[in-house]
Amino acid sequence: FALERPQKLEKSGWMKLLLSSRNLHKLEEIRAILPATITVDPWESDVEIEESADTFEGNALIKAYAGWQQKGIPCLGEDSGLSVPALGGAPGVLSARFAREPRSDFANIQLLLKQMDGLHDRSAYFTTVLVLVMNGNEFCFEGRVDGRIATDIQGEMGFGYDPVFIPEGYDQTFAELGPSIKNHISHRARALSKLMAFLNAFSG
Ligand code: ITT
């Protein structure tokens, strides 16, 4: 592969990145959070990418390299999940398939609420690890948001565990608070702000 820089568009400061993900909610949030100067195109592999690592970082790396190798332009991989200390960190890297197949956000939430039934410590946090691969080099950005797990499902916005996650400083779930608040304080927003600082330094 030719060595590439982040792909600059005509106007200085504009760039184009690929997001190696099948999750359209992630794409939507990432696009909403990043400035309009950074365009993000989705890349879905024809074959399912095996997320074989046991860390967010390891899986984000696998996704980012897969896209970069296939398309040859700077590519983001994102791996994220919910960790509950009272459950020993579960669901963690297995968040997407906590309740196994078929993959279902609702089944995952039901299982989580069942496992947390009667637990006093309801603290939890979301983690996002974003890996950017360009020029064959990888750059890693992490974000975390702390909160607690509600006792029942509340709200309809967002995706995944949003209907049961109440971020610190709020009394409502991400699914009730909606994108204007979530995209400001979320794990994803925090990782993306580190990415933007890096890209600004890189292109400036
Ligand atoms: P890709 O691997 O294709 O990117 P995915 O949905 O499989 O998509 P992950 O393996 O990173 O992505 O799993 C992330 C899971 O963690 C996701 O399916 C949700 O269950 C949960 N999750 C991550 N971020 C979340 C958020 O902002 N709100 C609610 N749940 C979230």
Side-chain angles (χ1 to χ4, degrees):
F1 290 99
L3 293 186
E4 89 278 22
R5 293 175 62 86
Q7 195 177 319
K8 295 262 174 75
L9 305 180
E10 311 84 64
K11 243 160 120 186
S12 126
W14 287 63
M15 60 180 67
K16 186 170 176 165
L17 301 173
L18 204 62
L19 174 69
S20 171
S21 177
R22 289 170 172 249
N23 185 326
L24 293 177
H25 298 284
K26 285 185 183 178
L27 177 68
E28 190 186 354
E29 288 191 2
I30 290 170
R31 281 179 167 164
I33 293 166
L34 287 175
T37 48
I38 303 176
T39 55
V40 183
D41 288 342
W43 178 71
E44 263 193 35
S45 169
D46 292 340
V47 283
E48 189 156 353
I49 299 171
E50 202 191 332
E51 297 179 28
S52 52
D54 56 6
T55 59
F56 294 118
E57 185 178 348
N59 285 326
L61 256 172
I62 291 171
K63 293 183 228 186
Y65 266 109
W68 178 76
Q69 279 173 340
Q70 186 72 30
K71 295 288 180 182
I73 63 166
C75 184
L76 285 174
E78 197 259 35
D79 204 61
S80 48
L82 178 75
S83 301
V84 178
L87 299 180
V93 287
L94 302 178
S95 289
R97 290 185 173 78
F98 189 38
R100 311 287 176 101
E101 304 290 345
R103 183 177 162 155
S104 150
D105 286 347
F106 183 70
N108 288 341
I109 288 177
Q110 295 283 86
L111 180 60
L112 178 71
L113 291 179
K114 194 168 152 216
Q115 293 199 354
M116 294 197 69
D117 193 25
L119 290 184
H120 177 66
D121 176 10
R122 302 190 71 82
S123 64
Y125 56 91
F126 276 120
T127 305
T128 290
V129 175
L130 267 178
V131 169
L132 171 68
V133 174
M134 57 180 188
N135 303 338
N137 296 313
E138 67 228 24
F139 304 92
C140 190
F141 310 92
E142 187 167 345
R144 166 175 166 158
V145 60
D146 287 273
R148 64 182 199 277
I149 301 299
T151 48
D152 53 13
I153 291 174
Q154 295 159 30
E156 288 174 359
M157 291 180 276
F159 72 101
Y161 298 89
D162 282 346
V164 290
F165 183 82
I166 302 173
E168 225 168 64
Y170 293 84
D171 294 322
Q172 292 179 302
T173 65
F174 267 159
E176 293 175 292
L177 293 168
S180 59
I181 293 179
K182 182 183 176 189
N183 289 341
H184 196 58
I185 62 169
S186 77
H187 48 317
R188 194 159 288 111
R190 288 174 180 162
L192 285 166
S193 115
K194 293 178 187 171
L195 169 74
M196 280 186 285
F198 168 81
L199 289 175
N200 285 337
F202 183 87
S203 58

